[in-house]
Amino acid sequence: MTRRVFREHCLRMMFCISFYEEDEERIEQIERYLELEEEPEEESFSVEVIKLSERDKLKKRMEDIIGSIGYIDEKLAEVTTGWSLKRIGRVELGILRIACYEMKFDSNIVANIAINEAVELAKKYAGDEAHSFVNGVLAKLV
């Protein structure tokens, strides 16, 4: 699985968990997502089937992001002046959280790559102007 596909799965899981407040519920949603994606019913909805060997890596990444959401949201709130995080769409917020996590906690990913990948996700999954917004917010985090 490429890093881009990995991020797409993370984004889809971020969207799923965005409807839940409790970490336990969020972890349960991740489990459900991973179970469904192992054998998707509809090929058109699947990014790429998750192999068993990649499942644990995805789950670990999502657990790490969930564990860091307080810090991530604090950093995002600092740079989104005039925007409450509650006003940001769920897809855009998921993209921002993933990229912020990568920039702050993943030493294997250069900040510019995280930003570029986030912009590409926004172009694919979010509204027309979302990629500019995502780029602007993340550029302030560097």
Side-chain angles (χ1 to χ4, degrees), residues 44-58:
S44 61
F45 293 115
S46 180
V47 177
E48 180 178 300
V49 175
I50 301 170
K51 296 176 186 167
L52 194 56
S53 61
E54 297 163 330
R55 178 183 151 85
D56 290 339
K57 187 177 174 184
L58 271 167

Side-chain angles (χ1 to χ4, degrees), residues 76 88 92-101 133-134 137-138:
L76 291 173
I88 300 173
E92 291 87 343
L93 185 57
I95 292 168
L96 290 170
R97 284 174 168 166
I98 293 165
C100 184
Y101 175 85
F133 175 73
V134 166
V137 170
L138 296 175

